[in-house]
Amino acid sequence: MNNQATLELDMDYFVEEFSHCFTGECRVKMLPLLYKISQIITDSANLANALSIILGIMQQHLKMERGIVTLYDMPAENIFIHDSFGLTEEEQKRGVYTLGEGITGKVVETGKAIIARRVQDHPDFSDRTEAQRSSKAKSAFFCVPIMRARKVLGTIAAERVYMNQRLLKQDVELLTMIATMIAPVVELYLIENIDKVRLENENRRLKHALKERFKPTNIIGNSKPMQEVYELIHKVASTKATVLILGESGVGKELVANAIHYNSPNAEAPFITSNCAALPENLAESELFGHEKGSFTGALSMHKGCFEQADGGTIFLDEVGELSLTVQAKLLRVLQNRTFERVGGSKPVKIDVRIIAATNRNLAEMVEQGTFREDLYYRLHVFPITVPPLRERGSDVIALADHFVSTFSEENAKSIKRISTPALNMLMSYHWPGNVRELENVMERAVILSDDDVVHSYNLPPSLQTSKESGTAFGLTLEDKVRAVEYEMIVEALKNTNGHMGEAAEELGLTRRMLGVRMERYGISYKSFRGTQNSDD
């Protein structure tokens, strides 16, 4: 006989056994009922079967108006209704609580039952489901925890009108006992279902976030030079071609390498980065290709190098122009045959790896000078991508600056909302020899120095504060800084008032004549802030 048939027979038995308890206040024969519940739980270990019996008992024999079973999603700190009676589907969907919220949230948080003799008068009552709008005014509500090894897994709650408070106490004790009985089944359900689904979803989310982070469209900037880079990334990502990324220091070559790998068919495979400039010449070969145990002093065990670690995926060789001629020869063999020997070894190691290299040096010139192998250069130069310097990227400077301000504001618990116009002018006029990396450092400093919700020109380093932008040869003297602040305040006031000198003067606490004198000193014209308006002030 299957579990469903057993369940139906048991329910028929219960109906017959308690048919004389018309008022729903008969509790003297609950022992056989509890025994049957324990049997079903033991035989099936199925939460749905167990809850079907429990909610049926609550509704038919205990005469409850509503019965609710919630489960606690511990990692997300959410409590949700898993099964119920007396609630519509819409009401059940609304029954989601945070830890400590409402009666249900308090029970999960404390692990202690709560009895509300008049539910609508209880201070923790929240009516998240909105079911109480049609509830009887004198309904009592109680909620007991489902616990296993002092860990709260969920709750069982019930609502009913009680004329006999002793009966209310008995029902609380009864459901507490039932909650204890089903706790192992609930725990098993959470492990097999909710936790499993969450781990799968979280794993999928993290992989998706990682892939999204390095999508070409997520590299900040929409300038024409960067659009050309995005197109090249899109074309080469789906292939296994060797890529050589060229560009000045700080332009974001590693970001491009990441974009290629994480948009390739091997996105799930390893992505190993090696900074060739940071490898001492005597250790470079070992770090890249590994070594055998005892191959040199200190080689206490076999070590897999970066190429072996990247097997099946991608290796990114940053600053490849810094490798010695000896290591270049071994790298050439890997490019040709995809095989190498570990240091101190004689057995070839075969790998399947994609190679992406990057350099800020002119490899063609190095070939002419004899410091870089010509054959290696041509092996690497299969698909070159040149990342433009920041000074050639136009308005990307502003987009990047805004991004860094947002990032560093959050890190430093500040609420900086914008960059002032004079500061933007300075950022756009600067030549950025250190490229994106320099801009990032400049904006981090500016966020730290800002005393309000704006990054001002005087928050930028002196190297950016040129006479062209501030109207004075800016130095480190007090007078120079006062003039820079004055210039910025005038520009901001005119911008805020759309170039109306009277309103700007009032905002600055100056007369119109005094404002005009200072504007003349800095070469500022109100017409620059008028937009399409032509009226005179």
Side-chain angles (χ1 to χ4, degrees):
M1 186 178 293
N2 60 34
N3 286 332
Q4 188 60 39
T6 304
L7 175 60
E8 291 172 357
L9 288 174
D10 288 339
M11 291 305 298
D12 290 339
Y13 167 80
F14 298 150
V15 171
E16 181 180 352
E17 185 72 12
F18 290 90
S19 59
H20 61 285
C21 295
F22 297 109
T23 63
E25 298 186 357
C26 177
R27 303 290 185 267
V28 294
K29 294 187 178 180
M30 289 304 295
L31 190 58
L33 198 61
L34 293 174
Y35 174 71
K36 291 295 181 182
I37 292 173
S38 68
Q39 273 193 322
I40 294 294
I41 292 172
T42 303
D43 291 344
S44 69
N46 184 293
L47 184 61
N49 285 351
L51 292 185
S52 176
I53 293 176
I54 292 166
L55 293 173
I57 290 169
M58 292 169 65
Q59 186 173 21
Q60 295 177 36
H61 303 298
L62 304 185
K63 304 298 181 184
M64 300 294 182
E65 183 180 340
R66 290 187 185 88
I68 301 168
V69 176
T70 66
L71 298 181
Y72 178 34
D73 183 352
M74 194 175 297
E77 294 191 346
N78 279 340
I79 305 140
F80 61 93
I81 296 177
H82 177 71
D83 204 351
S84 68
F85 67 85
L87 293 178
T88 66
E89 185 177 345
E90 193 61 34
E91 288 170 342
Q92 182 166 317
K93 285 180 180 178
R94 288 194 289 263
V96 180
Y97 308 85
T98 57
L99 197 63
E101 180 188 14
I103 293 175
T104 302
K106 287 281 186 183
V107 171
V108 173
E109 184 179 49
T110 63
K112 296 180 180 179
I114 290 180
I115 303 172
R117 298 185 187 281
R118 285 177 58 115
V119 62
Q120 293 172 332
D121 295 338
H122 196 278
D124 291 319
F125 170 64
S126 64
D127 195 20
R128 174 56 62 83
T129 64
E130 299 180 8
Q132 291 296 329
R133 294 180 180 181
S134 60
S135 184
K136 298 173 183 176
K138 295 183 180 179
S139 288
F141 180 86
F142 62 91
C143 183
V144 300
I146 302 171
M147 298 185 69
R148 174 87 165 163
R150 298 186 179 180
K151 182 171 69 175
V152 181
L153 307 173
T155 67
I156 301 178
E159 182 182 343
R160 184 187 192 276
V161 174
Y162 285 93
M163 306 304 293
N164 183 343
Q165 294 302 311
R166 182 170 172 271
L167 187 63
L168 171 60
K169 182 176 179 293
Q170 287 179 355
D171 282 354
V172 172
E173 292 171 350
L174 177 63
L175 287 192
T176 300
M177 192 181 305
I178 291 174
T180 302
M181 292 168 64
I182 67 167
V185 183
V186 172
E187 183 178 45
L188 184 64
Y189 177 86
L190 289 171
I191 292 171
E192 291 183 347
N193 292 274
I194 294 179
D195 287 356
K196 181 181 177 182
V197 169
R198 170 167 305 97
L199 286 173
E200 289 174 352
N201 288 340
E202 181 68 6
N203 189 38
R204 194 177 299 112
R205 185 191 69 79
L206 289 172
K207 286 181 178 178
H208 179 71
L210 193 60
K211 188 172 183 179
E212 283 293 308
R213 180 182 174 190
F214 297 114
K215 279 177 64 178
T217 51
N218 254 26
I219 299 175
I220 296 170
N222 292 305
S223 61
K224 186 177 179 181
M226 287 306 296
Q227 291 294 337
E228 293 172 358
V229 171
Y230 298 159
E231 188 175 351
L232 291 174
I233 291 172
H234 175 71
K235 287 180 177 179
V236 79
S238 60
T239 73
K240 286 193 172 184
T242 299
V243 180
L244 179 62
I245 306 172
L246 305 168
E248 297 177 6
S249 179
V251 294
K253 295 187 289 293
E254 185 172 356
L255 192 63
V256 172
N258 275 287
I260 293 170
H261 172 74
Y262 286 106
N263 285 276
S264 74
N266 294 328
E268 306 294 328
F271 178 79
I272 304 298
T273 297
S274 177
N275 185 350
C276 301
L279 297 176
E281 186 174 349
N282 60 330
L283 293 177
E285 192 174 355
S286 172
E287 285 300 311
L288 291 174
F289 306 108
H291 59 252
E292 298 289 353
K293 180 179 179 181
S295 56
F296 55 86
T297 304
L300 302 178
S301 61
M302 188 273 285
H303 166 69
K304 288 185 177 181
C306 295
F307 274 92
E308 264 188 279
Q309 295 173 37
D311 189 22
T314 304
I315 184 168
F316 174 52
L317 301 174
D318 198 9
E319 302 303 340
V320 71
E322 306 300 323
L323 292 175
S324 68
L325 289 169
T326 303
V327 179
Q328 287 178 36
K330 200 160 186 176
L331 175 58
L332 177 63
R333 182 185 173 190
V334 176
L335 281 163
Q336 290 173 331
N337 305 321
R338 293 299 193 266
T339 60
F340 61 89
E341 287 93 29
R342 302 188 192 102
V343 176
S346 57
K347 182 180 178 182
V349 178
K350 189 167 182 63
I351 55 168
D352 176 18
V353 66
R354 179 183 199 161
I355 297 172
I356 301 177
T359 183
N360 61 359
R361 302 183 65 176
N362 189 326
L363 294 185
E365 284 186 5
M366 292 179 66
V367 169
E368 290 180 6
Q369 296 164 2
T371 56
F372 200 85
R373 293 181 61 111
E374 185 177 14
D375 45 7
L376 177 59
Y377 171 69
Y378 288 115
R379 282 284 182 179
L380 291 174
H381 206 263
V382 175
F383 195 95
I385 297 177
T386 300
V387 184
L390 190 55
R391 61 183 171 275
E392 296 178 6
R393 293 176 56 181
S395 61
D396 284 358
V397 173
I398 305 305
L400 285 161
D402 284 335
H403 168 74
F404 291 136
V405 166
S406 176
T407 300
F408 293 123
S409 293
E410 186 175 346
E411 286 184 9
N412 292 280
K414 290 192 171 186
S415 57
I416 297 176
K417 296 179 174 61
R418 64 187 180 91
I419 304 171
S420 73
T421 300
L424 289 175
N425 291 338
M426 292 179 183
L427 293 173
M428 289 296 293
S429 299
Y430 187 57
H431 61 291
W432 299 109
N435 291 294
V436 179
R437 188 179 296 122
E438 182 183 9
L439 175 61
E440 182 177 10
N441 294 337
V442 164
M443 299 320 297
E444 181 176 15
R445 175 185 184 272
V447 167
I448 293 170
L449 291 176
S450 176
D451 293 323
D452 52 19
D453 60 355
V454 178
V455 168
H456 298 281
S457 61
Y458 50 83
N459 298 137
L460 301 177
S463 58
L464 273 69
Q465 298 173 353
T466 63
S467 57
K468 178 181 177 182
E469 296 306 321
S470 65
T472 180
F474 189 88
L476 296 176
T477 68
L478 176 62
E479 182 63 25
D480 288 336
K481 188 152 189 175
V482 168
R483 286 166 66 85
V485 173
E486 184 177 53
Y487 167 81
E488 175 160 338
M489 291 182 69
I490 292 171
V491 169
E492 286 291 291
L494 288 168
K495 182 180 177 182
N496 293 340
T497 60
N498 202 29
H500 290 280
M501 288 183 61
E503 294 177 19
E506 184 178 353
E507 182 177 314
L508 293 168
L510 300 172
T511 65
R512 179 190 169 97
R513 187 186 66 81
M514 290 174 63
L515 175 59
V517 170
R518 298 189 189 204
M519 287 171 63
E520 187 177 354
R521 180 192 303 169
Y522 295 112
I524 301 172
S525 170
Y526 70 87
K527 294 179 181 178
S528 303
F529 303 91
R530 279 296 178 93
T532 58
Q533 296 187 24
N534 298 315
S535 59
D536 292 330
D537 205 356

